[in-house]
């Protein structure tokens, strides 16, 4: 009964490839997020969707494209992977954007670019 | 825009000793404050939160944090740490009405047997 689940947990691939990370939440939340955690553990918001609508789009290369088919899913597609994309990517969800309810995080996807 | 400063990147402490992890924030409007914990190779888990009301908030595993508006701080404390508390701790702030949660850079707590 995992609340926020991401797949895959580990992703090892070569430079230039295209890959996707999937995220699903079964909490009934309206808002979902993608964060990037670098090697120094710094967490930075990348995107946020509220009811399938993009509400946060930080300064992220165009190679990153989020897609939300429904409010329970937020996938992240990355084109032309680069060495600097190596990081841990976390999906999160919360009850509603702008509410004071905490965000619930998945276990992360560890992306390694060779 | 809001920001969060965690003053210590690493805090080593002996088992059963007290610990304080410091967090200061900057915001021109009212805020909600959170502490998250990240155990090795895991995601972030909410430890405790301040939304309103009592400025002292507690978690189920013995941690507490106090919201100090005048000092814009939300320090995390535990009177006696266990080996199992070894983890990375993140302070985070959200301004009222905002969509965005801003994290500090984290403090690695290492409990020494």
């Amino acid at each position: 009964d995992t609340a926020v689940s991401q797949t895959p947990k580990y992703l090892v691939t070569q430079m230039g490839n295209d890959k996707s990370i999937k995220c699903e939440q079964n909490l009934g939340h309206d808002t979902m997020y993608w964060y990037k955690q670098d090697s120094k553990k710094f967490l930075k918001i990348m995107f946020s969707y509220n009811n399938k609508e993009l509400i946060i789009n930080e300064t992220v290369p165009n190679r990153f494209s989020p897609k939300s088919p429904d409010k329970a899913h937020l996938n992240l597609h990355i084109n032309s992977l680069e060495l600097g994309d190596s990081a841990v990517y976390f999906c999160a969800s919360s009850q509603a954007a702008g509410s004071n309810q905490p965000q619930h995080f998945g276990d992360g996807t560890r992306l390694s670019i060779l | 825009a809001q920001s969060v400063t965690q003053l210590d990147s690493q805090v080593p402490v002996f088992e059963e000793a007290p610990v304080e992890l410091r967090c200061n924030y900057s915001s021109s409007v009212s805020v909600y404050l959170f502490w998250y914990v990240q155990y090795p190779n895991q995601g972030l888990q909410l430890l405790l939160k301040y939304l309103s009301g009592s400025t002292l908030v507690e978690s189920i595993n013995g941690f507490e944090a106090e919201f100090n508006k005048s000092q814009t701080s939300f320090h995390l404390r535990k009177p006696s740490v266990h080996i199992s508390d070894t983890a990375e701790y993140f302070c985070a702030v959200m301004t009222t009405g905002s969509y965005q949660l801003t994290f500090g850079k984290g403090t690695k707590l290492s409990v020494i047997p």
Side-chain angles (χ1 to χ4, degrees):
Chain A
D1 58 343
T2 306
V4 180
S5 59
Q6 299 178 224
T7 54
K9 192 172 173 102
Y10 299 95
L11 187 49
V12 181
T13 190
Q14 292 189 325
M15 256 188 354
N17 284 350
D18 303 339
K19 290 293 178 186
S20 291
I21 308 172
K22 294 186 176 181
C23 180
E24 176 182 3
Q25 54 96 3
N26 63 5
L27 296 166
H29 288 167
D30 288 334
T31 310
M32 296 184 72
Y33 311 81
W34 276 110
Y35 288 86
K36 180 179 180 180
Q37 186 176 46
D38 63 23
S39 57
K40 295 183 180 178
K41 300 286 188 179
F42 184 56
L43 269 163
K44 189 170 166 48
I45 183 81
M46 298 173 71
F47 302 103
S48 178
Y49 271 72
N50 185 55
N51 273 324
K52 302 195 298 175
E53 184 180 333
L54 183 66
I55 57 171
I56 295 176
N57 186 0
E58 290 296 298
T59 308
V60 175
N62 291 339
R63 300 181 293 103
F64 290 79
S65 53
K67 283 195 171 46
S68 182
D70 55 61
K71 74 174 192 177
H73 295 84
L74 180 61
N75 303 323
L76 183 64
H77 189 75
I78 316 170
N79 288 328
S80 303
L81 281 157
E82 298 178 358
L83 288 175
D85 297 333
S86 293
V88 183
Y89 293 85
F90 286 101
C91 177
S93 71
S94 67
Q95 212 159 39
S99 76
N100 58 17
Q101 295 308 305
Q103 294 178 17
H104 296 253
F105 284 77
D107 285 340
T109 295
R110 284 144 188 85
L111 175 61
S112 298
I113 309 301
L114 304 177
Chain B
Q2 67 266 29
S3 66
V4 179
T5 303
Q6 290 184 245
L7 297 161
D8 305 299
S9 59
Q10 296 189 56
V11 173
V13 63
F14 286 103
E15 194 174 12
E16 297 183 6
V19 70
E20 179 179 78
L21 307 184
R22 296 179 292 170
C23 172
N24 287 88
Y25 68 92
S26 171
S27 173
S28 57
V29 298
S30 297
V31 296
Y32 305 121
L33 294 156
F34 306 85
W35 274 101
Y36 282 84
V37 58
Q38 184 180 26
Y39 297 104
N41 297 317
Q42 292 187 27
L44 280 75
Q45 301 172 31
L46 180 70
L47 190 60
L48 43 77
K49 61 187 179 186
Y50 170 78
L51 304 180
S52 65
S54 173
T55 56
L56 185 66
V57 290
E58 297 176 354
S59 72
I60 57 172
N61 56 356
F63 282 94
E64 64 178 30
E66 186 158 20
F67 170 54
N68 188 321
K69 189 174 180 180
S70 62
Q71 296 186 7
T72 60
S73 67
F74 191 55
H75 301 332
L76 181 70
R77 290 187 282 263
K78 188 170 185 180
S80 175
V81 294
H82 302 290
I83 295 289
S84 59
D85 293 324
T86 294
E88 192 92 25
Y89 291 80
F90 293 92
C91 182
V93 63
M94 180 187 289
T95 55
T96 54
S98 165
Y99 300 134
Q100 199 159 325
L101 191 62
T102 301
F103 284 90
K105 292 190 175 182
T107 297
K108 183 172 182 178
L109 174 63
S110 299
V111 180
I112 305 161

